[in-house]
Amino acid sequence: MTPAPYRVRSRRPDRADTVTLTLEPVRGRCPAFLPGQFNMIYARGVGEIPISLSGRARSGALMHTIRAVGAVSHVLCDARPGDVVGLRGPYGTAWDVPAAAGLDVVVAAGGLGLAPLRTVLRELAAHRSRYGRISLIVGTRTPMTLLYPRELARWRKSHDVDVQVIVDHPDHAWQGPVGPVTRLIDRIVFQPRRTAAFVCGPEVMMRAVADNLVRRGVPAARVALSLERNMKCGVGRCGHCQLGPLLLCLDGPVVDYQRAARLLAVREL
C-alpha cells in the first residue's frame, strides 16, 4: 500500500486543463501493465487518486493523461519534470484486446475516456492485420477539447482506422457532426455479430452506446465498458468503489455489458 517514488520525466499539455505526464521509477524498472488498468497516484500532502494508464513511452516510462478537476489532479497537472510523486499499481481488469482477433472492432470514447482507450488503439495498431474493420468514434465538448488530434490523424492514415469525431458545441471552423456520440454509429461499418466493442466515457454515454450496439446485434458479452466509482484503496479493502456485487478496483474497471447492464439500470446503486 506504500506508494513507490516516481519522477516526472516529461509533461505534455494536451489541452487547457489536461496534461500527459510520463513517469519513471526513482529506483528499478517500470512494471508491466495491460490496456485498461490504472495506477493510484499520490501527490505529497494532498492525497491519492486512481488514474488510468494512457500509454508507455519509448523509454519504457508510464504515461497518464490527467484532467485538473480536483485538488489532487490540479497538483498533478502542475507537476514539472524532476518532481516526484507516489505511485502504486497497476490495478484492475484489462480490455481483452486479443479476444477481438478476427472481429470488427468498435472503439467508442467520450471526453477523457479516450485516454485509457489510447492503450487499446495502440495495441490494435501494433497488430493491425489480426483485426477486421476498426472504427473509432469520439465525442467531445468542443473541437478544442479533443485529445490526441495528431494520433487520431495517424491512426486514420497509417493504420486503416475509421476515425469519426462529433462535438457538443461547434466553433466557427467546425464542419463535422454535432450531437451525442451515438449518432456516429450510423456512420461506421461493422458486422454486429462479428464485432467487439470497447467503450469509455461518462456513464450515460456508455449506456447509450452499449444499448445501441446490442440492439444492432453486437453480443453484450463482447461490449466492454470501463466503469468508475469512488476508488480509494485500489485493492478491494475499503469498499468505496462497490457497485452491487462488484468492487470495481478488483472486478473492474473493465466490465462486460452482459454484467454491467443490470447494475447500471439501478439508480444510485
Side-chain angles (χ1 to χ4, degrees), residues 59 64 98 133 148 179 196 202 213 249:
S59 64
H64 291 82
R133 297 183 185 89
Y148 317 133
L213 292 173
C249 65

Side-chain angles (χ1 to χ4, degrees), residues 95 108-110 181-182 198-213 223-229 253 257 264:
W95 307 101
V181 71
T182 48
F198 304 97
V199 186
C200 187
E203 197 164 290
V204 64
M205 166 263 173
M206 290 194 292
R207 285 205 309 269
V209 169
D211 282 343
N212 192 309
L213 292 173
V223 179
L225 316 182
S226 182
L227 302 179
E228 287 191 0
R229 285 296 184 273
Y257 198 53
L264 295 180

Side-chain angles (χ1 to χ4, degrees), residues 95 106-110 117 137 180-185 188 190 192-193 195-227 255-265:
W95 307 101
V106 175
V107 180
L117 288 170
I137 55 176
V181 71
T182 48
R183 290 190 180 178
L184 296 179
I185 297 177
I188 59 176
F190 59 99
R193 290 290 176 189
T195 291
F198 304 97
V199 186
C200 187
E203 197 164 290
V204 64
M205 166 263 173
M206 290 194 292
R207 285 205 309 269
V209 169
D211 282 343
N212 192 309
L213 292 173
V214 170
R215 282 201 306 273
R216 292 169 188 252
V218 179
R222 281 205 222 113
V223 179
L225 316 182
S226 182
L227 302 179
V255 179
D256 69 63
Y257 198 53
Q258 193 170 44
R259 301 176 72 192
R262 179 175 54 84
L263 302 173
L264 295 180

